[in-house]
Amino acid sequence: MKINRLCIIGVGLIGGSLARSLKRAGACGEIVGFGRNSENLETAVRLGVIDRYEDDMAEAVKGVDIVVLAVPVGSMQKMFELLQPHVTEQMVITDVGSTKGSVIAAAQTVFGAIPANLVPGHPIAGTEKSGVEAALDDLYQDRRVILTPVEQTAPDALVAVRSMWEAAGAVVEEMGVEHHDEVLAATSHLPHVLAFALVDALAKLDEKAEVFRYAAGGFRDFTRIASSDPTMWTDICMANDKAIAHALQHFSATLQELSEAIANDDREKMFTIFQRAKVARDGFCEALNYAKE
């Protein structure tokens, strides 16, 4: 199903990559951008990511088939407020937020109920870079996109959003809102929190210059995501605080167990934890056809 006109609110890495992917697939007619930074939108036009942009929401969404909110989760309610007066029955609305419960709550607050044409979504893809200059036309190729429709979601709207992501090359799955936030707290949000915390802890050391000078590939790989946008990740942690706190508590228990094993020279306990982790990760990589390091 070809999209005649698409509006992307927030043309950065995620929104821009969606635009590039749809253009590459020939799956969309016109792509309109909307955002607070006109310089960024001008860059998006110059790079061919979008066809044009508008600084007025009414003009940006006029005659569009699908509106994609590609803004930080902390900005979602504000964007819903700007969008609400201009929503039509033909318009499908979706988002790319990393937390879904907060998106649903924001929609309920603004619209009074969850709109039937709203399909919450989350592409499990990205890099530590941000901005439209970082957008790629293959970011979603063979990557998972999770849609979290609710009871009120219109089947036609769900089909439209699924088709859009499949045209971008993604593998689309569906999941409950609460379950999504619990799973992503453990698999995405927790690793980012740990990477930020590790780099911050090392940066506080008196000898930090020497620590970073001798950091090898393992440090670089593990901490890569600490270069992600701090504003976006602060918003995510606030939006999914309970699930992330639970994941941190679970991790802390294992870290305490390992800390005690090291302090007590408990070789068997250390080996058991390391071996269990290796088997789990190797199985994960094999299942997803990842190259083993």
Side-chain angles (χ1 to χ4, degrees), residues 8-286:
I8 296 179
I9 299 176
V11 189
L13 168 67
I14 300 301
S17 294
L18 175 59
R20 282 194 178 279
S21 299
L22 294 174
K23 280 179 173 288
R24 182 185 66 170
C28 188
E30 183 181 40
I31 300 180
V32 184
F34 177 85
R36 295 172 296 180
N37 189 328
S38 59
E39 183 178 345
N40 178 72
L41 292 168
E42 288 169 2
T43 299
V45 172
R46 177 173 53 82
L47 294 175
V49 176
I50 58 176
D51 298 302
R52 62 181 173 90
Y53 73 90
E54 299 288 347
D55 54 15
D56 178 75
M57 180 67 83
E59 292 299 317
V61 301
K62 182 182 294 184
V64 302
D65 300 313
I66 300 178
V67 176
V68 180
L69 283 80
V71 298
V73 291
S75 302
M76 205 66 68
Q77 183 169 324
K78 176 63 176 178
M79 290 301 107
F80 279 141
E81 290 171 352
L82 292 176
L83 178 62
Q84 190 270 337
H86 313 294
V87 174
T88 65
E89 291 184 2
Q90 294 75 29
M91 182 188 298
V92 174
I93 307 167
T94 189
D95 77 293
V96 300
S98 184
T99 63
K100 305 299 1 137
S102 64
V103 173
I104 292 293
Q108 287 179 315
T109 298
V110 174
F111 294 96
I114 303 172
N117 58 346
L118 173 64
V119 183
H122 178 206
I124 312 300
T127 72
E128 73 278 12
K129 299 178 181 179
S130 59
V132 69
E133 295 92 343
L136 303 168
D137 66 4
D138 62 350
L139 182 65
Y140 306 113
Q141 189 63 46
D142 299 323
R143 303 299 293 271
R144 283 180 170 78
V145 169
I146 300 175
L147 302 182
T148 60
V150 295
E151 185 178 353
Q152 298 92 328
T153 304
D156 289 350
L158 180 58
V159 169
V161 175
R162 172 181 284 274
S163 297
M164 178 188 73
W165 282 113
E166 288 177 344
V171 178
V172 182
E173 299 182 4
E174 295 180 23
M175 189 179 290
V177 172
E178 184 176 349
H179 185 52
H180 167 277
D181 287 358
E182 291 172 351
V183 169
L184 269 294
T187 59
S188 175
H189 307 163
L190 175 63
H192 278 81
V193 169
L194 297 182
F196 281 124
L198 173 61
V199 176
D200 185 56
L202 294 179
K204 293 176 183 176
L205 294 175
D206 291 337
E207 62 274 20
K208 66 178 181 181
E210 185 175 36
V211 168
F212 290 128
R213 183 181 302 121
Y214 293 107
F219 176 84
R220 179 199 62 217
D221 294 342
F222 182 79
T223 61
R224 174 184 61 81
I225 53 179
S227 292
S228 300
D229 183 356
T231 299
M232 179 182 76
W233 280 98
T234 299
D235 286 348
I236 288 171
C237 287
M238 293 184 67
N240 201 25
D241 55 350
K242 292 182 176 58
I244 295 173
H246 180 74
L248 278 167
Q249 290 170 0
H250 180 72
F251 172 77
S252 295
T254 299
L255 186 61
Q256 181 62 33
E257 183 181 10
L258 181 58
S259 177
E260 291 174 358
I262 293 172
N264 297 327
D265 294 326
D266 190 340
R267 179 184 179 87
E268 182 177 352
K269 173 63 73 175
M270 283 186 275
F271 178 82
T272 297
I273 294 172
F274 296 156
Q275 176 68 7
R276 192 166 58 220
K278 173 178 168 50
V279 170
R281 187 180 189 277
D282 286 352
F284 161 76
C285 292
E286 183 178 348

